[in-house]
Structures are given as structure tokens and as C-alpha cells.
Amino acid sequence: MTRCPANVVLLAAGRGSRIAPLTKDTPKSLLPVAGRSSLERALDSALVRPVDQVIVVTGDRHEAVEHLVRERYGESVETVFNERFGEDMNILSTELGVARLRRPASGYLIVETDVVIAPEGWETVFAVGERDESYWITRGTYGAALTGGALEADADGRVTGLVYAPTYSPRYEGWQKLLGILYVGSAEVARDRELRQAALARTCAQYYMTPWVDNLGLLPCRARPLGDVLAGSFNDSDSYRDIDRRFRAAGAGGCR
């Protein structure tokens, strides 16, 4: 079997305020996409692989998320509660999840739980490779209709530029669009944690990618494109309905 990450940290603490009123009664990570939540899809994909430890970081309406994890996955998955979820933009959730790992030095996959990927795409996500290099999962390109995190890579896939640009900037037009998944290889673990903790000392109102954006020269990494695999993320009602429609149309309700 292809070498997989030793650890997986799933970020499920967000309030999902931009997707209201859909999140009035349901946490964002539990919203159904073609009949199955993004959290369950990610967990099912992790647990069929030889991953040592899986952590779900909870926050808003944590009881519902923790109940699902406990009832469906039992002791196979651990949860940790981020009590500061209201002010955190996910950098603190990332640190709490990594801090709970028994062997963080082995590397870890960080997954935002508003990400939905067809089964074949998860093969690419979990294929660490023998060189154990850090990588960002990408899908599509940055543009006026698709803003946010993006990267630029050279011909060998090495990341040469990394940015978070939620307001459209023509400067990043055509850069690879980040999907919300980062694998931190063992060689980058110590620096990743050091820089994240330094950033947290200033504020938790920032994303987990911020230390990488600010210190890319210290954190070598590669782009890992999904190509044409059906995948996406949702941050508002329109993007949620769109991805639900596309997965239903493709018959991609299952997960492996």
C-alpha cells in the first residue's frame, strides 16, 4: 500500500457564519453533500488507510460533532475542543490538534472540513511518498470567481509563492488554488510548530497557512494538484449548494 501520513488533523471548529442560515441547526462540517457530510467523507477516507492517529478539532456546537464521532467511529478518532473558536480563524485549532498527537514529529495532514473530494482524489491527498515532502493540495486556478489561498510553483512542483488573497488581485491570476489541505513532512514539523506558536503569541485571528505565507523560504513544500478530480470547498450558501449539486449529478455520494 502507498505510504500514508502518520497523523491526520481535521479542523471542524468554525461557526460557518458565512453559510447561515444553513448552519442554524447544523454545524458546517456536518452539512450533507450528496447525502454525506464533508467530515464523514474525510474521516472515512482516513480510516481505511494505515494512519496512526486521527484528531478532530471541534468548536461551535461541538456536542453534535463529538456525538457523531463517538457514535460512528468510537475510539478510532479522538476529539479536542477549541474553547476559543469564536476568535480563532483556525491557526489555534491546528495547534491544538497537533499538540494532541502522540508522535507529531512523524508528520501530519491538516484538512479543513469544508473540503469535499471524490474518492479517487483522496488517493492523491494521502499519497505521502518516500521523500516525505510537505505539500499543498490544489484544485483549479485563482481568478475573479475563485479567490483565497493560492500558490505558484516551478516546473518541478516546488512552491515559489504562497498567498492568501480573498479579495481578487490580478497579480495572482492563474496561480494554483489551494483546497484547504496541507501535509507537513517530518523535516518541516519543528519549524512549522515553532512559527505557528510565535504567530499565536500575537493573535489567533489568522489562518494556519499564515506562518507558511510569511516564512516560505524556511518551509520548503510542493504543489499537489488534483487535476480534473471532482472536488471543492464551500464558504457560503451558493458554493455549498453548487458543490452539493455537482456531487449529486456525478453520483459521488459514496466515499472510501
Side-chain angles (χ1 to χ4, degrees):
M1 183 176 287
T2 303
R3 184 166 178 265
C4 293
N7 306 291
V8 178
V9 176
L10 300 173
L11 308 180
R15 290 179 295 177
S17 56
R18 286 181 291 174
I19 202 170
L22 294 174
T23 50
K24 180 177 182 294
D25 300 311
T26 304
K28 183 179 180 181
S29 64
L30 299 188
L31 288 173
V33 174
R36 195 159 191 76
S37 73
S38 53
L39 177 60
E40 290 173 280
R41 290 171 178 271
L43 284 171
D44 289 348
S45 296
L47 293 172
V48 296
R49 294 173 167 85
V51 175
D52 290 344
Q53 193 174 5
V54 180
I55 304 289
V56 176
V57 184
T58 67
D60 184 42
R61 280 166 293 181
H62 63 100
E63 298 92 344
V65 178
E66 291 162 0
H67 176 77
L68 179 140
V69 170
R70 181 173 60 253
E71 292 299 309
R72 180 170 172 79
Y73 302 99
E75 296 181 357
S76 300
V77 178
E78 302 172 47
T79 61
V80 57
F81 175 54
N82 178 0
E83 63 182 16
R84 297 175 63 190
F85 67 87
E87 57 186 301
D88 180 33
M89 291 178 67
N90 78 17
I91 191 171
L92 177 57
S93 285
T94 301
E95 181 58 25
L96 291 172
V98 172
R100 180 63 67 89
L101 296 174
R102 294 183 291 272
R103 297 191 301 116
S106 300
Y108 36 84
L109 187 73
I110 301 167
V111 181
E112 298 182 47
T113 55
D114 57 4
V115 171
V116 190
I117 304 174
E120 62 271 23
W122 286 108
E123 300 290 346
T124 300
V125 171
F126 280 94
V128 169
E130 293 306 316
R131 291 187 294 181
D132 195 37
E133 297 175 296
S134 297
Y135 55 83
W136 296 87
I137 298 296
T138 67
R139 174 65 167 81
T141 56
Y142 181 94
L146 195 60
T147 60
L151 65 78
E152 185 177 48
D154 64 19
D156 293 323
R158 290 185 290 264
V159 176
T160 57
L162 190 64
V163 68
Y164 178 68
T167 300
Y168 173 68
S169 170
R171 175 182 177 184
Y172 308 115
E173 183 77 34
W175 283 31
Q176 295 181 46
K177 181 69 180 68
L178 300 183
L179 192 57
I181 301 177
L182 165 65
Y183 175 68
V184 180
S186 55
E188 282 72 57
V189 166
R191 186 61 57 85
D192 170 59
R193 299 196 69 187
E194 174 190 347
L195 293 172
R196 184 167 50 253
Q197 290 164 8
L200 275 167
R202 299 188 294 272
T203 177
C204 65
Q206 54 188 310
Y207 292 107
Y208 73 88
M209 69 178 295
T210 301
W212 289 70
V213 171
D214 294 343
N215 303 277
L216 183 58
L218 301 175
L219 294 162
C221 50
R222 289 184 175 270
R224 180 73 68 84
L226 288 183
D228 294 331
V229 168
L230 180 59
S233 61
F234 53 93
N235 292 311
D236 54 35
S237 298
D238 288 342
S239 59
Y240 167 71
R241 292 190 177 98
D242 177 66
I243 199 166
D244 180 54
R245 175 189 58 78
R246 289 191 289 127
F247 268 72
R248 287 183 182 278
C255 184
R256 71 170 180 225

